Each structure stands twice: as C-alpha cells, then as structure tokens.
Amino acid sequence: MARETVIASFIMRFVKPAAAESVGSAAGGSGSHAGVRIAVRHVQSGYERRFVNLDDAMDFIREEIRLLEQD
C-alpha cells in the first residue's frame, strides 16, 4: 500500500518588543537575538510555542515532523 503524503506547515513570527530595543545585546547565546521572541505555530493542529532562541524553535519543528512521521 502506498504511503499517504503528510503535510506539516509552520508559521514562525519574530517579534521584537519595543522595550527590547533599548536593552542592547545582553541576552547573547547561540542562535539568540537580543530581545527577539519567536512564536512557532503548527498550522494543522493549531499548537503554538514561544521561544527566545532560534535553535530551540527549529528543534520544536523537527520534533513535530518526527512525530508525524511515526504515525
């Protein structure tokens, strides 16, 4: 039996709060941008998580895709 195509769509929003503009780059760290918040939403389920680190957001997407592939 042929396997059905699985679609995983994500929306990523990058938000820089007004207050964060004056803070500077004290946050640091791998994949982080001073004051930027990242919201990732899985379109099919509507599940959304928020991150301060791009690497963490990408890990979330990878994990969601891995879970879909298991089904």
Side-chain angles (χ1 to χ4, degrees), residues 11-14 37-41 48-51:
I11 296 173
M12 293 182 77
R13 289 189 314 271
F14 297 85
R37 301 293 182 251
I38 304 162
V40 180
R41 182 166 64 101
E48 182 171 313
R49 290 205 37 209
R50 296 166 195 263
F51 303 91

Side-chain angles (χ1 to χ4, degrees), residues 39-57:
V40 180
R41 182 166 64 101
H42 181 234
V43 174
Q44 286 75 17
S45 70
Y47 182 59
E48 182 171 313
R49 290 205 37 209
R50 296 166 195 263
F51 303 91
V52 294
N53 184 293
L54 184 57
D55 291 333
D56 292 341

Side-chain angles (χ1 to χ4, degrees), residues 4-65:
E4 183 179 325
T5 300
V6 177
I7 297 174
S9 302
F10 296 88
I11 296 173
M12 293 182 77
R13 289 189 314 271
F14 297 85
V15 179
K16 186 170 185 176
E21 292 177 9
S22 62
V23 172
S25 60
S30 173
S32 71
H33 301 282
V36 173
R37 301 293 182 251
I38 304 162
V40 180
R41 182 166 64 101
H42 181 234
V43 174
Q44 286 75 17
S45 70
Y47 182 59
E48 182 171 313
R49 290 205 37 209
R50 296 166 195 263
F51 303 91
V52 294
N53 184 293
L54 184 57
D55 291 333
D56 292 341
M58 295 305 297
D59 288 343
F60 165 72
I61 291 171
R62 284 185 197 98
E63 179 64 14
E64 288 295 309
I65 291 171

